[in-house]
Amino acid sequence: MIYFDNAATSKPYPEVVKTYADLCTNLIGNPSSANGLGTKADEYLEKARKQIASCLGLTDFDLFFTSGATESNNDAILGYARRHKKEGTHLLTSLGEHASVINVFKELEKEGFSVTYLPLATDGKIPSSLLKENIGPKTILVSLMGVNNEVGTIYPLEEYASVIKQFPHVAFMSDLTQAIGKVQIPYNCLDLFTMSSHKVGGLKSSGLLGVRKGISLEPIIFGGGQEEGERPGTVNVPLACSLATALRIYLSSQEKRNEKAKALSDYLRKELLGMKEEIMMISPEDCCPFIMNFVPLHVKASVLVEALSAKEIYVSTRSACSSKKKGGSSVIKAMGYNESIYDNAIRLSFEGDEEIQEGKEFILALRSLLKDLKRI
Ligand SMILES: Cc1ncc(COP(=O)(O)O)c(C=O)c1O
């Protein structure tokens, strides 16, 4: 099997599965219970939180465990906008964001907020001058991701933060789901950040919301006082601990994974660029080496993905959350491509442990399928 769909979900590390299974069996208390088992569970929970803060290098953030980046994005954006509405009703994001960001902003428009969706250049980038031009006196929140999940464009968060700092009434939030463990992240420049466990060798339905100390959010669900009332509901301690394990392993291998992903991505880019008659490269040359997006020019992407699957080569057409919806890639559309392109993209995404040999096998299979499928 060749698995090039890590941006959709990564294989959990065996240590993560073991942590989860062991704790599910041996740590049965509710961390909010006032008995000995509850206290023990709470100690594990707080230890996981501390370990995560330490391996991300955070000193000034409160961390909340959530059901994944989708929930964290909802918590952060809805929570910040609603709590700070009196200070302003303008919000800023980009057309390149994940559905769990864009669709939250669409909801806020229904509540009376005005939202500016910054366009993307053909390489997926957003110049910081454009950001600056669009911040006004009523702006309270800017949300821009770290790495684009479909085309791999890396966003200069530090540069954006230095623009945003000129407007003290504006908070900066970043969806770091595809960035953590892949690029360097300037946490100190952010007010809010989100991530997902299953993109870093962890388990599904687990994520994190980081909130700079002193920033207040309105909760979006209501219940008991767990997670300081920001995210009520009994915390799944084994899941929280398994996220700490995943991050420890994923981050400690960042350099090595980057090197391997870069070698594979350089090899694939060279091969795909050599197939000019058949393939159009979408990802910019300086993109994150873990994601590569291209368009087959004479074959339907969905047919190609299925044919590759039959050979046990797994890739995707676009963001897994949207790939079953019609309408093509909204990111590639925002980059200015026409429908025949944005409706036909293929995304390869890597873990960073793949060998070049897998790339060679992929190219071999791709060449042969492009020939066969064109004939049909
Ligand atoms: C950039 C980005 N944000 C958010 C999400 C949603 O993550 P989750 O599956 O944890 O809800 C994804 C998942 O693909 C993503 O790529």
Side-chain angles (χ1 to χ4, degrees):
M1 157 169 124
I2 294 179
Y3 185 72
F4 286 169
D5 198 18
N6 289 274
T9 196
S10 56
K11 292 159 276 179
Y13 291 120
E15 294 91 327
V16 166
V17 178
K18 185 172 183 321
T19 301
Y20 187 67
D22 286 352
L23 293 182
C24 280
T25 311
N26 299 314
L27 193 73
I28 57 160
N30 182 326
S32 302
S33 291
N35 58 40
L37 291 178
T39 306
K40 190 174 167 205
D42 192 49
E43 280 167 9
Y44 271 77
L45 178 63
E46 293 317 315
K47 199 168 144 206
R49 217 186 299 273
K50 275 202 188 111
Q51 278 174 351
I52 292 172
S54 150
C55 72
L56 293 177
L58 305 172
T59 50
D60 212 17
F61 277 87
D62 289 321
L63 298 177
F64 301 104
F65 292 103
T66 68
S67 67
T70 297
E71 184 192 325
S72 300
N73 286 335
N74 275 261
D75 287 339
I77 300 164
L78 290 176
Y80 192 88
R82 288 174 179 164
R83 177 58 52 92
H84 296 268
K85 195 170 184 175
K86 281 199 188 115
E87 294 148 45
T89 52
H90 177 242
L91 311 164
L92 236 160
T93 187
S94 96
L95 291 172
E97 296 288 315
H98 187 264
S100 61
V101 168
I102 294 259
N103 288 335
V104 178
F105 281 107
K106 287 195 178 148
E107 278 307 304
L108 285 169
E109 284 185 277
K110 293 181 200 161
E111 293 180 19
F113 286 90
S114 69
V115 182
T116 302
Y117 300 90
L118 297 177
L120 306 179
T122 44
D123 51 7
K125 292 185 183 166
I126 303 163
S128 45
S129 54
L130 188 65
L131 171 62
K132 189 168 181 181
E133 281 162 28
N134 282 280
I135 299 180
K138 286 191 176 168
T139 312
I140 53 168
L141 178 67
V142 170
S143 178
L144 293 171
M145 69 202 325
V147 169
N148 186 276
N149 55 303
E150 292 199 33
V151 298
T153 303
I154 301 172
Y155 293 99
L157 298 182
E158 214 161 342
E159 210 178 292
Y160 294 159
S162 67
V163 168
I164 294 166
K165 234 167 87 185
Q166 296 166 34
F167 303 88
H169 53 286
V170 182
F172 186 17
M173 121 109 196
S174 187
D175 174 353
L176 300 178
T177 304
Q178 301 290 351
I180 285 189
K182 297 180 174 82
V183 296
Q184 295 305 324
I185 294 163
Y187 292 101
N188 289 340
C189 303
L190 303 174
D191 296 305
L192 299 151
F193 74 85
T194 61
M195 61 88 58
S196 172
S197 182
H198 72 110
K199 316 288 183 177
V200 295
L203 299 172
K204 293 170 187 63
S205 290
S206 162
L208 207 63
L209 164 65
V211 183
R212 179 170 293 287
K213 285 188 193 299
I215 289 186
S216 137
L217 302 180
E218 202 153 298
I220 62 166
I221 52 170
F222 300 89
Q226 297 97 337
E227 298 293 270
E228 296 177 33
E230 290 289 356
R231 205 282 185 172
T234 303
V235 183
N236 185 337
V237 181
L239 203 54
C241 293
S242 72
L243 171 53
T245 305
L247 273 174
R248 176 174 53 75
I249 302 170
Y250 199 71
L251 291 167
S252 65
S253 61
Q254 181 164 341
E255 203 176 317
K256 204 165 147 224
R257 283 185 301 96
N258 247 287
E259 270 170 30
K260 285 200 109 165
K262 175 94 177 66
L264 178 62
S265 146
D266 284 352
Y267 166 77
L268 289 171
R269 178 174 287 272
K270 190 163 160 268
E271 291 293 321
L272 293 170
L273 286 176
M275 298 159 72
K276 276 200 171 53
E277 305 296 310
E278 309 284 337
I279 297 284
M280 176 192 242
M281 179 59 69
I282 300 292
S283 290
E285 198 167 350
D286 60 353
C287 74
C288 178
F290 292 86
I291 292 180
M292 178 168 291
N293 197 305
F294 67 89
V295 170
L297 295 171
H298 311 296
V299 171
K300 238 176 150 250
S302 54
V303 174
L304 188 54
V305 168
E306 221 176 293
L308 284 164
S309 258
K311 291 177 181 284
E312 292 194 40
I313 298 176
Y314 300 101
V315 305
S316 59
T317 47
R318 55 195 165 116
S319 163
C321 319
S322 318
S323 65
K324 287 183 180 146
K325 282 192 210 149
K326 285 209 164 82
S329 160
S330 58
V331 176
I332 300 174
K333 185 178 180 184
M335 287 160 74
Y337 288 97
N338 65 33
E339 193 176 355
S340 66
I341 301 299
Y342 71 69
D343 202 16
N344 210 43
I346 297 226
R347 178 184 69 181
L348 312 181
S349 51
F350 317 115
E351 158 77 16
D353 63 352
E354 298 86 354
E355 301 298 335
I356 297 289
Q357 185 55 29
E358 290 178 65
K360 288 186 178 165
E361 284 169 34
F362 169 76
I363 292 291
L364 216 62
L366 179 69
R367 280 186 193 279
S368 127
L369 284 174
L370 286 177
K371 232 189 254 164
D372 293 351
L373 294 170
K374 205 161 61 173
R375 265 191 238 127
I376 295 169

PDB file of all heavy atoms in Angstrom, residues 7 68-70 73 98 100 145 149 175 177-178 196 198-199 321, ligand 1:
ATOM      1  N   ALA A   7      -2.856  14.376   4.876  1.00  0.00           N
ATOM      2  CA  ALA A   7      -3.522  15.623   5.267  1.00  0.00           C
ATOM      3  C   ALA A   7      -4.987  15.337   5.603  1.00  0.00           C
ATOM      4  O   ALA A   7      -5.629  16.109   6.312  1.00  0.00           O
ATOM      5  CB  ALA A   7      -3.421  16.662   4.159  1.00  0.00           C
ATOM      6  N   GLY A  68     -11.660  18.109  18.132  1.00  0.00           N
ATOM      7  CA  GLY A  68     -10.925  18.230  16.869  1.00  0.00           C
ATOM      8  C   GLY A  68     -10.846  19.672  16.425  1.00  0.00           C
ATOM      9  O   GLY A  68     -11.382  20.581  17.081  1.00  0.00           O
ATOM     10  N   ALA A  69     -10.170  19.878  15.310  1.00  0.00           N
ATOM     11  CA  ALA A  69      -9.964  21.256  14.847  1.00  0.00           C
ATOM     12  C   ALA A  69     -11.273  21.926  14.445  1.00  0.00           C
ATOM     13  O   ALA A  69     -11.421  23.140  14.598  1.00  0.00           O
ATOM     14  CB  ALA A  69      -8.978  21.273  13.683  1.00  0.00           C
ATOM     15  N   THR A  70     -12.233  21.150  13.947  1.00  0.00           N
ATOM     16  CA  THR A  70     -13.515  21.759  13.570  1.00  0.00           C
ATOM     17  C   THR A  70     -14.141  22.417  14.796  1.00  0.00           C
ATOM     18  O   THR A  70     -14.539  23.591  14.754  1.00  0.00           O
ATOM     19  CB  THR A  70     -14.471  20.689  12.993  1.00  0.00           C
ATOM     20  OG1 THR A  70     -13.886  20.171  11.800  1.00  0.00           O
ATOM     21  CG2 THR A  70     -15.846  21.265  12.691  1.00  0.00           C
ATOM     22  N   ASN A  73     -12.059  25.457  15.963  1.00  0.00           N
ATOM     23  CA  ASN A  73     -12.268  26.642  15.128  1.00  0.00           C
ATOM     24  C   ASN A  73     -13.596  27.321  15.474  1.00  0.00           C
ATOM     25  O   ASN A  73     -13.686  28.547  15.548  1.00  0.00           O
ATOM     26  CB  ASN A  73     -12.227  26.273  13.638  1.00  0.00           C
ATOM     27  CG  ASN A  73     -10.805  25.975  13.164  1.00  0.00           C
ATOM     28  OD1 ASN A  73      -9.846  26.469  13.750  1.00  0.00           O
ATOM     29  ND2 ASN A  73     -10.661  25.179  12.128  1.00  0.00           N
ATOM     30  N   HIS A  98     -10.107  26.499   5.635  1.00  0.00           N
ATOM     31  CA  HIS A  98     -10.864  25.245   5.699  1.00  0.00           C
ATOM     32  C   HIS A  98     -12.346  25.553   5.952  1.00  0.00           C
ATOM     33  O   HIS A  98     -12.685  26.575   6.544  1.00  0.00           O
ATOM     34  CB  HIS A  98     -10.293  24.412   6.846  1.00  0.00           C
ATOM     35  CG  HIS A  98     -10.849  23.038   6.943  1.00  0.00           C
ATOM     36  ND1 HIS A  98     -11.893  22.720   7.776  1.00  0.00           N
ATOM     37  CD2 HIS A  98     -10.495  21.893   6.307  1.00  0.00           C
ATOM     38  CE1 HIS A  98     -12.152  21.425   7.660  1.00  0.00           C
ATOM     39  NE2 HIS A  98     -11.328  20.897   6.782  1.00  0.00           N
ATOM     40  N   SER A 100     -14.263  24.517   8.107  1.00  0.00           N
ATOM     41  CA  SER A 100     -14.598  24.707   9.526  1.00  0.00           C
ATOM     42  C   SER A 100     -14.244  26.106  10.020  1.00  0.00           C
ATOM     43  O   SER A 100     -14.530  26.451  11.168  1.00  0.00           O
ATOM     44  CB  SER A 100     -13.906  23.649  10.396  1.00  0.00           C
ATOM     45  OG  SER A 100     -12.503  23.759  10.277  1.00  0.00           O
ATOM     46  N   MET A 145      -4.827  30.825   8.357  1.00  0.00           N
ATOM     47  CA  MET A 145      -4.226  29.534   8.690  1.00  0.00           C
ATOM     48  C   MET A 145      -2.704  29.540   8.536  1.00  0.00           C
ATOM     49  O   MET A 145      -2.139  30.447   7.919  1.00  0.00           O
ATOM     50  CB  MET A 145      -4.840  28.435   7.799  1.00  0.00           C
ATOM     51  CG  MET A 145      -4.460  28.549   6.356  1.00  0.00           C
ATOM     52  SD  MET A 145      -5.573  27.743   5.140  1.00  0.00           S
ATOM     53  CE  MET A 145      -6.164  26.294   5.907  1.00  0.00           C
ATOM     54  N   ASN A 149      -4.411  23.483   3.573  1.00  0.00           N
ATOM     55  CA  ASN A 149      -4.610  22.036   3.576  1.00  0.00           C
ATOM     56  C   ASN A 149      -4.778  21.429   2.188  1.00  0.00           C
ATOM     57  O   ASN A 149      -4.667  20.224   2.031  1.00  0.00           O
ATOM     58  CB  ASN A 149      -5.834  21.673   4.434  1.00  0.00           C
ATOM     59  CG  ASN A 149      -7.077  22.406   4.005  1.00  0.00           C
ATOM     60  OD1 ASN A 149      -7.094  23.629   3.975  1.00  0.00           O
ATOM     61  ND2 ASN A 149      -8.107  21.690   3.655  1.00  0.00           N
ATOM     62  N   ASP A 175      -5.568  28.720  12.365  1.00  0.00           N
ATOM     63  CA  ASP A 175      -5.842  27.282  12.292  1.00  0.00           C
ATOM     64  C   ASP A 175      -4.507  26.624  11.902  1.00  0.00           C
ATOM     65  O   ASP A 175      -4.044  26.765  10.768  1.00  0.00           O
ATOM     66  CB  ASP A 175      -6.931  27.057  11.225  1.00  0.00           C
ATOM     67  CG  ASP A 175      -7.194  25.575  10.960  1.00  0.00           C
ATOM     68  OD1 ASP A 175      -6.458  24.725  11.486  1.00  0.00           O
ATOM     69  OD2 ASP A 175      -8.144  25.287  10.202  1.00  0.00           O
ATOM     70  N   THR A 177      -3.819  23.393  11.950  1.00  0.00           N
ATOM     71  CA  THR A 177      -4.017  21.949  11.749  1.00  0.00           C
ATOM     72  C   THR A 177      -2.980  21.321  10.820  1.00  0.00           C
ATOM     73  O   THR A 177      -2.509  20.230  11.076  1.00  0.00           O
ATOM     74  CB  THR A 177      -5.444  21.705  11.198  1.00  0.00           C
ATOM     75  OG1 THR A 177      -6.357  22.290  12.117  1.00  0.00           O
ATOM     76  CG2 THR A 177      -5.747  20.234  11.056  1.00  0.00           C
ATOM     77  N   GLN A 178      -2.644  22.003   9.727  1.00  0.00           N
ATOM     78  CA  GLN A 178      -1.692  21.413   8.775  1.00  0.00           C
ATOM     79  C   GLN A 178      -0.287  21.997   8.958  1.00  0.00           C
ATOM     80  O   GLN A 178       0.603  21.757   8.133  1.00  0.00           O
ATOM     81  CB  GLN A 178      -2.159  21.643   7.323  1.00  0.00           C
ATOM     82  CG  GLN A 178      -3.528  21.059   7.008  1.00  0.00           C
ATOM     83  CD  GLN A 178      -3.554  19.534   6.968  1.00  0.00           C
ATOM     84  OE1 GLN A 178      -2.518  18.861   7.009  1.00  0.00           O
ATOM     85  NE2 GLN A 178      -4.748  18.961   6.887  1.00  0.00           N
ATOM     86  N   SER A 196      -5.484  19.630  15.327  1.00  0.00           N
ATOM     87  CA  SER A 196      -6.208  18.369  15.339  1.00  0.00           C
ATOM     88  C   SER A 196      -5.235  17.225  15.583  1.00  0.00           C
ATOM     89  O   SER A 196      -4.148  17.191  15.000  1.00  0.00           O
ATOM     90  CB  SER A 196      -6.875  18.201  13.971  1.00  0.00           C
ATOM     91  OG  SER A 196      -7.436  16.931  13.863  1.00  0.00           O
ATOM     92  N   HIS A 198      -5.539  13.954  14.820  1.00  0.00           N
ATOM     93  CA  HIS A 198      -5.363  12.887  13.821  1.00  0.00           C
ATOM     94  C   HIS A 198      -4.541  13.310  12.603  1.00  0.00           C
ATOM     95  O   HIS A 198      -4.374  12.556  11.663  1.00  0.00           O
ATOM     96  CB  HIS A 198      -6.719  12.283  13.414  1.00  0.00           C
ATOM     97  CG  HIS A 198      -7.598  13.142  12.570  1.00  0.00           C
ATOM     98  ND1 HIS A 198      -7.859  12.860  11.259  1.00  0.00           N
ATOM     99  CD2 HIS A 198      -8.292  14.270  12.851  1.00  0.00           C
ATOM    100  CE1 HIS A 198      -8.697  13.774  10.771  1.00  0.00           C
ATOM    101  NE2 HIS A 198      -8.969  14.633  11.721  1.00  0.00           N
ATOM    102  N   LYS A 199      -4.017  14.546  12.627  1.00  0.00           N
ATOM    103  CA  LYS A 199      -3.101  14.967  11.547  1.00  0.00           C
ATOM    104  C   LYS A 199      -1.645  14.846  12.003  1.00  0.00           C
ATOM    105  O   LYS A 199      -0.733  15.119  11.244  1.00  0.00           O
ATOM    106  CB  LYS A 199      -3.363  16.420  11.134  1.00  0.00           C
ATOM    107  CG  LYS A 199      -4.814  16.802  10.970  1.00  0.00           C
ATOM    108  CD  LYS A 199      -5.479  16.222   9.746  1.00  0.00           C
ATOM    109  CE  LYS A 199      -6.918  16.724   9.644  1.00  0.00           C
ATOM    110  NZ  LYS A 199      -7.605  16.278   8.461  1.00  0.00           N
ATOM    111  N   CYS A 321     -12.952  16.627   4.004  1.00  0.00           N
ATOM    112  CA  CYS A 321     -14.270  17.061   4.489  1.00  0.00           C
ATOM    113  C   CYS A 321     -15.176  17.506   3.357  1.00  0.00           C
ATOM    114  O   CYS A 321     -16.386  17.523   3.476  1.00  0.00           O
ATOM    115  CB  CYS A 321     -14.133  18.237   5.456  1.00  0.00           C
ATOM    116  SG  CYS A 321     -12.787  18.055   6.570  1.00  0.00           S
TER     117      CYS A 321
HETATM  118  C1  LIG B   1      -6.771  23.164   7.905  1.00  0.00           C
HETATM  119  C2  LIG B   1      -7.784  22.275   8.581  1.00  0.00           C
HETATM  120  N1  LIG B   1      -8.555  22.773   9.541  1.00  0.00           N
HETATM  121  C3  LIG B   1      -9.469  22.026  10.184  1.00  0.00           C
HETATM  122  C4  LIG B   1      -9.645  20.691   9.868  1.00  0.00           C
HETATM  123  C5  LIG B   1     -10.685  19.875  10.608  1.00  0.00           C
HETATM  124  O1  LIG B   1     -10.057  18.988  11.499  1.00  0.00           O
HETATM  125  P1  LIG B   1     -10.866  17.892  12.319  1.00  0.00           P
HETATM  126  O2  LIG B   1     -10.989  16.704  11.435  1.00  0.00           O
HETATM  127  O3  LIG B   1     -10.020  17.590  13.528  1.00  0.00           O
HETATM  128  O4  LIG B   1     -12.162  18.479  12.708  1.00  0.00           O
HETATM  129  C6  LIG B   1      -8.867  20.124   8.857  1.00  0.00           C
HETATM  130  C7  LIG B   1      -9.070  18.716   8.455  1.00  0.00           C
HETATM  131  O5  LIG B   1      -8.810  18.313   7.346  1.00  0.00           O
HETATM  132  C8  LIG B   1      -7.898  20.932   8.203  1.00  0.00           C
HETATM  133  O6  LIG B   1      -7.107  20.443   7.242  1.00  0.00           O
END
